[in-house]
Amino acid sequence: MKGLLYKEYAVLKSQMKSWLVLLAFFVVYTGIFRNISIAFMMISIMGLMNCYNSFHYDKQYRCNDYIAAMPVSRFQMVLAKYLFIILLDIALAAVSLILAGAWGWAGAGAFPELSASVAAIMGVLFLMQIISIPLIYAIGVNRARYVNMLLWVLPWLLVFMAVRDGRPLPVKKEFLIRLTHAAPLLLIVLLAISFAVSVSVFRRRDIK
């Protein structure tokens, strides 16, 4: 398991310099335009793209062929992917909170509100990842990108069409509050379902 996690870290490390340069650019952009949400969104995009990059690397260099020849089960291979994503998201959340703390210290915003924004953005990121991983195992990296795009563009398009004429969304405030409170438990349940589906699909898949 340590070897599988190190492989994921090696892939991330090879791209880390580019990500840090890009993140630094958006931090400067945030300071100039006084809008920290840009940096938060960039961090979430980094998380989603690294999820796909991990699988793309495996496909490009046929890592699964070599790993399958070792005493490693399909269950462990899938588990390593999920653990990597969880650890990556924890690191990204920590970076986001540091930025939120610096932003609040500079007097540009209240830290509790910024922390809530970080939690919401990271929650959405994690949801996108646990939906994407079973899709990648089932239909491959490239097709999963397009399916994932449709899954997330269509709801936002419907919301935009609904509010374009000034009509309020048919969602009650009480429902949103309850959904916020239930979000951690829902994510845990969805994580368990996502992992079970990924293991099931990967076990039936031929590695060539």
Side-chain angles (χ1 to χ4, degrees):
M1 182 60 67
K2 289 183 180 179
L4 294 174
L5 289 175
Y6 182 78
K7 175 184 71 70
E8 302 296 343
Y9 168 74
V11 175
L12 178 62
K13 185 179 179 180
S14 66
Q15 305 165 353
M16 196 172 294
K17 185 178 293 186
S18 299
W19 285 118
L20 290 176
V21 171
L22 191 59
L23 179 60
F25 169 80
F26 278 97
V27 169
V28 173
Y29 182 92
T30 293
I32 294 174
F33 292 95
R34 312 293 291 177
N35 186 358
I36 196 172
S37 61
I38 300 295
F40 288 162
M41 292 304 299
M42 180 59 205
I43 290 172
S44 67
I45 291 173
M46 288 170 57
L48 186 60
M49 291 188 67
N50 275 293
C51 174
Y52 279 92
N53 287 344
S54 172
F55 285 93
H56 180 75
Y57 177 91
D58 289 349
K59 178 182 178 181
Q60 182 178 2
Y61 294 99
R62 304 184 66 180
C63 293
N64 288 334
D65 293 1
Y66 298 102
I67 297 173
M70 300 178 182
V72 178
S73 67
R74 302 286 182 98
F75 177 88
Q76 290 175 313
M77 293 169 70
V78 175
L79 180 60
K81 289 291 185 184
Y82 278 83
L83 288 177
F84 166 71
I85 292 302
I86 291 172
L87 293 173
L88 174 64
D89 288 352
I90 291 173
L92 293 177
V95 172
S96 299
L97 288 174
I98 290 172
L99 290 177
W103 195 255
W105 179 78
F111 181 72
E113 295 178 358
L114 294 173
S115 300
S117 297
V118 170
I121 291 172
M122 296 308 299
V124 172
L125 167 63
F126 189 58
L127 178 61
M128 294 176 71
Q129 289 168 332
I130 61 178
I131 290 176
S132 297
I133 293 176
L135 285 173
I136 295 172
Y137 279 119
I139 61 178
V141 179
N142 295 328
R143 282 182 285 186
R145 290 182 193 269
Y146 296 112
V147 174
N148 184 70
M149 190 181 301
L150 288 175
L151 287 175
W152 293 100
V153 169
L154 286 178
W156 286 110
L157 181 61
L158 293 175
V159 170
F160 173 77
M161 295 296 292
V163 302
R164 185 177 58 178
D165 299 327
R167 294 175 294 175
L169 290 174
V171 179
K172 295 183 179 180
K173 182 179 179 180
E174 292 78 8
F175 173 77
L176 293 177
I177 294 174
R178 292 177 181 175
L179 181 61
T180 301
H181 291 161
L185 179 59
L186 288 174
L187 284 176
I188 292 174
V189 172
L190 291 174
L191 172 62
I193 295 173
S194 172
F195 180 75
V197 171
S198 295
V199 171
S200 177
V201 171
F202 193 50
R203 279 175 172 168
R204 296 197 303 267
R205 185 176 174 184
D206 292 330
I207 298 178
K208 299 180 180 180

